[in-house]
Amino acid sequence: LDIANVESKTGFAINLEDNIVSNIGSDKTYLEDADLVFSKLNSHMGYVFLTEEYKNKQYPLIGSTEFWGLNIKKDVIEPKLLKYLLLHKEFLHVAQFLRTGKSQSHPRIQRDDFLNLEVPIISNDVAENLLENIIAIEKEIIHKKNKVMALQDIIDNVLQEYGVKT
C-alpha cells in the first residue's frame, strides 16, 4: 500500500490490485499485525485506515514506510472510532501545525508529536452509538460508490464499443 491507495479523509481502499509486489525493499514495511495505520506524510490529508478492511488472504499487508502501524487498546477505544477521530476536521486542522520537514511538498508529523496527542475518552454508550452511526453511513457510502463504479463500467463499455479511447 502506498498513500495513493488510501482515499483521503475516508480511509477507503483504491486500486489495490495495481500494487501487488513480489520484492520488499527498504522502502516497505509489514502492516499485517497493526490494527490501524496512519500516514506520517501529509497527515493533515487524512490517510488513515483499518488493516482489517485491507487484508487479503493471498497477500500479506505491506506498505510504505510513510505509514505507522498502530496497535490499539480495544478496551480503551475501538479502532474504527479512533480512525474517525483521526479523520475528524479538528484533528486534520491541528495536524497542519505539527508538520515538519525540509520540503513543503513532503511535510511529515513526528512520531513523538503524534503519540503525545490526547485522545478523548468516550463512554461505552456514546461509543456504541457513534459506531452504529458510522457503520450505517459507511454502508451507504459503499453502496453509492458501487453505483458510481457500475455506471463507469457502462460508460467505458459504450466508449469501447464505439472505438473511443479513454
Side-chain angles (χ1 to χ4, degrees):
L1 294 169
D2 289 317
I3 289 177
N5 297 117
V6 183
E7 188 177 76
S8 174
K9 299 182 183 172
T10 68
F12 290 123
I14 305 170
N15 303 325
L16 292 180
E17 62 281 351
D18 296 341
N19 255 12
I20 297 172
V21 297
S22 57
N23 294 332
I24 302 170
S26 62
D27 62 341
K28 301 287 181 244
T29 186
Y30 280 97
L31 300 170
E32 195 74 16
D33 295 330
D35 298 312
L36 182 137
V37 176
F38 177 83
S39 173
K40 61 184 169 185
L41 177 65
N42 290 320
S43 54
H44 65 289
M45 297 296 292
Y47 298 113
V48 180
F49 63 91
L50 298 172
T51 56
E52 71 180 32
E53 296 170 355
Y54 279 72
K55 287 183 180 175
N56 178 319
K57 292 179 181 163
Q58 292 178 313
Y59 306 103
L61 190 59
I62 300 167
S64 163
T65 55
E66 296 297 345
F67 290 127
W68 286 324
L70 305 170
N71 294 319
I72 309 303
K73 292 181 180 179
K74 295 173 185 79
D75 59 326
V76 175
I77 189 166
E78 284 291 322
K80 187 178 288 276
L81 194 51
L82 181 57
K83 170 189 168 183
Y84 284 100
L85 285 171
L86 294 172
L87 290 173
H88 191 275
K89 65 182 177 181
E90 293 297 324
F91 172 78
L92 298 177
H93 177 72
V94 168
Q96 289 180 10
F97 300 104
L98 297 175
R99 300 178 302 169
T100 62
K102 297 176 186 174
S103 163
Q104 286 295 335
S105 64
H106 288 82
R108 290 172 178 79
I109 190 170
Q110 297 301 307
R111 187 175 191 87
D112 287 344
D113 290 337
F114 178 76
L115 294 175
N116 284 323
L117 291 169
E118 293 184 9
V119 176
I121 302 294
I122 300 171
S123 72
N124 287 339
D125 292 343
V126 172
E128 286 178 28
N129 192 337
L130 286 170
L131 285 171
E132 285 177 20
N133 288 325
I134 287 169
I135 291 167
I137 292 168
E138 280 182 338
K139 285 180 182 177
E140 184 67 22
I141 290 170
I142 290 167
H143 176 72
K144 289 182 179 186
K145 280 179 170 280
N146 288 338
K147 277 186 172 180
V148 169
M149 284 193 253
L151 287 172
Q152 186 62 52
D153 290 342
I154 292 168
I155 293 166
D156 288 346
N157 289 338
V158 169
L159 291 174
Q160 186 176 22
E161 183 178 319
Y162 288 96
V164 177
K165 294 183 180 183
T166 55

